[in-house]
Amino acid sequence: MTYLVVEHGRVTSAHSTLALARAAEAQGPGHSDEPGPVLSREPAWWLRGGHGDVPQLGLVRTEATALGLRFELRACQAPAGSCGHDPCAAYVSWASSSSYHLLGDLAMFVPASWVWAGMRGHDPRGDDPGFRAEARALVERLTADLRPPLYPVGAAPIDPRPLEDRREAAHGLVVRFLAAQFGPSTSRESAVEVHAVLAEELVHMTFEPPAQRRRAVCGVLLADREGGHDLADGTERRCEQCFGLAPISPPPVLTAAEHDAWTTVLRTQNPPRP
């Protein structure tokens, strides 16, 4: 059993006992004194005074999902708790599940991510046995990848990549894994095409249909774009990020269909050198 301290819907800490959670809460947003429904002889959650007369969750037991409470992982590039930028609305950057521990383990590899708690509609994708098994396997593999290996003095390291590079690679793997599972369409048969658009004197790539607002793969807003452009036309300058010639930071979060369509075009635009 795990007790969570929640502030404005966001899980701020997790504790093994109620006493530890009470102590952590007293140092933060205030004390919760209104018990919720009973679950196994103990309240499933406790409420504290909120804005006006509306109480808010303060302490939550992870077993509270039996009464409808859900957990949500929000993987965001913005500073923690301050997301307000468009990519988070245009691309999938969240996961919902009844397992706080699974989402918490995934969040360890995603900088600036938070786990939220609240009464939300049930999304069965986060509790699919296949997703849970794949997520646990991914967490175990990435944990091993980020563990500093021991090797004999004078011997070459097994993984020559710096630890920071391995962290960035783990971040990208987790975000792409979540996007493939929780994207607007997890079917790889979805009709997604890549189009070239001339904007700001550069040729960018964008998706049809767009996820929401029309943006280039690199993140440039294409609201005032010119008409379509030929991908094979090399007379105009190409955006190196959209065409896979330079890294995109932060990396785009794509659905499975978008990722497949983009990488297919990149292979035709940047054939391997002999």
Side-chain angles (χ1 to χ4, degrees):
M1 181 183 299
T2 302
Y3 297 86
L4 308 175
V5 178
V6 181
E7 182 178 0
H8 302 297
R10 187 179 66 192
V11 178
T12 58
S13 59
H15 307 272
S16 58
T17 68
L18 178 59
L20 291 174
R22 289 284 189 200
E25 183 188 33
Q27 299 171 13
H31 192 70
S32 298
D33 54 10
E34 183 180 341
V38 174
L39 181 65
S40 300
R41 302 180 184 179
E42 186 179 286
W45 56 74
W46 291 260
L47 303 176
R48 74 171 70 93
H51 299 288
D53 297 329
V54 180
Q56 62 176 246
L57 284 173
L59 295 176
V60 172
R61 292 167 54 198
T62 51
E63 292 84 350
T65 50
L67 297 177
L69 186 137
R70 306 290 294 173
F71 300 106
E72 180 178 309
L73 169 64
R74 298 183 187 177
C76 181
Q77 298 290 337
S82 64
C83 172
H85 62 296
D86 293 331
C88 281
Y91 296 109
V92 171
S93 56
W94 59 271
S96 177
S97 176
S98 64
S99 174
Y100 165 78
H101 297 288
L102 182 63
L103 298 184
D105 288 343
L106 290 170
M108 294 295 293
F109 304 101
V110 184
S113 63
W114 290 90
V115 177
W116 297 64
M119 306 303 293
R120 296 184 177 87
H122 178 57
D123 186 339
R125 292 176 294 181
D127 293 320
D128 177 76
F131 165 73
R132 288 199 174 195
E134 290 183 36
R136 291 192 186 97
L138 180 62
V139 167
E140 291 176 2
R141 178 164 66 88
L142 295 180
T143 300
D145 288 345
L146 296 181
R147 186 179 300 118
L150 295 177
Y151 52 91
V153 175
I158 298 174
D159 190 342
R161 295 177 301 166
L163 185 58
E164 187 60 33
D165 289 352
R166 281 182 273 164
R167 288 197 184 105
E168 290 182 4
H171 178 190
L173 282 173
V174 171
V175 171
R176 288 194 293 273
F177 172 73
L178 295 178
Q181 180 71 17
F182 292 93
S185 173
T186 57
S187 171
R188 294 182 179 272
E189 299 177 357
S190 300
V192 174
E193 298 181 353
V194 177
H195 287 227
V197 175
L198 183 63
E200 299 181 1
E201 300 182 353
L202 288 178
V203 177
H204 295 270
M205 288 188 188
T206 187
F207 297 109
E208 291 287 350
Q212 189 178 36
R213 299 182 65 183
R214 190 177 301 277
R215 286 184 174 273
V217 177
C218 66
V220 170
L221 184 64
L222 301 175
D224 299 323
R225 68 191 186 283
E226 298 180 19
H229 195 80
D230 187 353
L231 277 170
D233 187 352
T235 58
E236 301 287 347
R237 288 187 57 202
R238 295 181 176 183
C239 170
E240 292 188 350
Q241 294 174 318
C242 286
F243 280 81
L245 303 176
I248 303 175
S249 179
V253 181
L254 309 177
T255 65
E258 289 173 337
H259 178 269
D260 288 352
W262 183 45
T263 53
T264 298
V265 170
L266 289 183
R267 284 193 293 269
T268 63
Q269 296 295 310
N270 307 307
R273 296 180 180 179

